[in-house]
Amino acid sequence: GNSVTQMEGPVTLSEEAFLTINCTYTATGYPSLFWYVQYPGEGLQLLLKATKADDKGSNKGFEATYRKETTSFHLEKGSVQVSDSAVYFCALLPNTGNQFYFGTGTSLTVIP
Amino acid sequence: NAGVTQTPKFQVLKTGQSMTLQCAQDMNHNSMYWYRQDPGMGLRLIYYSASEGTTDKGEVPNGYNVSRLNKREFSLRLESAAPSQTSVYFCASSEGGFFYEQYFGPGTRLTVT
């Protein structure tokens, strides 16, 4: 079946620290992979995506590489800001395109 | 552009009561979705509407009904609320199906006592 496993939170970092949020997946076929971000009091927003193996998605300084050999899509940012405080969700869309599978979310707090 | 709007923002119901959650989008999107978000779990799809006039069940449809009133509006109805339906409900829309970026509303926090 299809599923997504994210690292447990919450994560607390100081401003300008390096961020990694781990995400691994199980899927049949060749899914597309996504990171969504949810800021306090808001709905989810697409942060980045990758549609095939070895693709790198990037946006707002965040990056994630689709690694088929390790079934992973880890989110990274070199220098976090207070404004990056949010909940981050990894998600998978099977190549059948009929439903998203979301991870449980990782809460990030960045302190000045 | 307001994007995706949801009403109400908060609601408390007693077990057995009914209510309708409203969702509207102003982006001329064809597809609309209802998700629920529970602590320790990712979002789960309740129902979706690929286009005006069609609706399909998602992963957790039991206890819910939906209506795609027109291209803009997609409502979610709880006929007889249960405590297990306590959750945050998100509506989303996309240009055409799951392969397109989904735009989410701010959510409705529902508590059933």
Side-chain angles (χ1 to χ4, degrees):
Chain A
N2 298 299
S3 67
V4 174
T5 302
Q6 273 183 252
M7 68 183 282
E8 295 285 331
V11 174
T12 302
L13 294 174
S14 298
E15 205 164 24
E16 299 184 3
F18 185 86
L19 169 70
T20 300
I21 300 178
N22 289 338
C23 172
T24 57
Y25 68 90
T26 301
T28 52
Y30 301 92
S32 296
L33 300 172
F34 302 79
W35 278 101
Y36 278 84
V37 58
Q38 184 180 28
Y39 297 105
E42 299 183 12
L44 279 70
Q45 302 173 25
L46 178 64
L47 181 59
L48 54 83
K49 69 178 182 182
T51 58
K52 60 183 188 296
D54 300 324
D55 268 2
K56 178 185 283 188
S58 61
N59 187 23
K60 299 182 181 179
F62 291 88
E63 294 183 339
T65 301
Y66 186 163
R67 302 279 189 207
K68 187 162 174 59
E69 63 276 12
T70 54
T71 61
S72 65
F73 193 55
H74 304 321
L75 183 68
E76 297 181 335
K77 187 175 186 183
S79 175
V80 293
Q81 306 300 312
V82 171
S83 57
D84 294 326
S85 298
V87 180
Y88 292 81
F89 292 90
C90 186
L92 173 158
L93 179 67
N95 55 6
T96 53
N98 60 353
Q99 178 175 327
F100 274 98
Y101 294 84
F102 286 88
T104 54
T106 301
S107 175
L108 170 67
T109 301
V110 180
I111 55 177
Chain B
N1 268 359
V4 179
T5 57
Q6 292 182 235
T7 54
K9 289 193 182 331
F10 301 94
Q11 184 72 47
V12 179
L13 291 178
K14 294 189 188 312
T15 297
Q17 288 185 319
S18 62
M19 79 160 296
T20 300
L21 281 63
Q22 306 286 354
C23 174
Q25 52 91 9
D26 62 1
M27 295 174 282
N28 201 35
H29 284 168
N30 291 306
S31 303
M32 299 185 73
Y33 313 83
W34 277 105
Y35 291 91
R36 60 179 289 174
Q37 182 182 32
D38 300 299
M41 303 187 73
L43 274 71
R44 292 181 293 168
L45 183 66
I46 305 171
Y47 270 94
Y48 67 100
S49 171
S51 60
E52 189 178 354
T54 69
T55 60
D56 287 286
K57 294 179 180 179
E59 184 182 357
V60 288
N62 290 344
Y64 305 95
N65 286 302
V66 291
S67 295
R68 185 73 183 268
L69 304 168
N70 48 54
K71 192 171 186 180
R72 290 188 63 246
E73 298 173 286
F74 188 39
S75 63
L76 178 72
R77 182 158 178 84
L78 287 71
E79 290 291 353
S80 178
S84 61
Q85 294 179 303
T86 294
S87 189
V88 180
Y89 291 86
F90 288 100
C91 178
S93 70
S94 71
E95 189 177 332
F98 289 94
F99 285 108
Y100 289 82
E101 179 176 351
Q102 295 194 10
Y103 294 80
F104 286 79
T108 294
R109 185 173 293 275
L110 175 67
T111 302
V112 183
T113 61

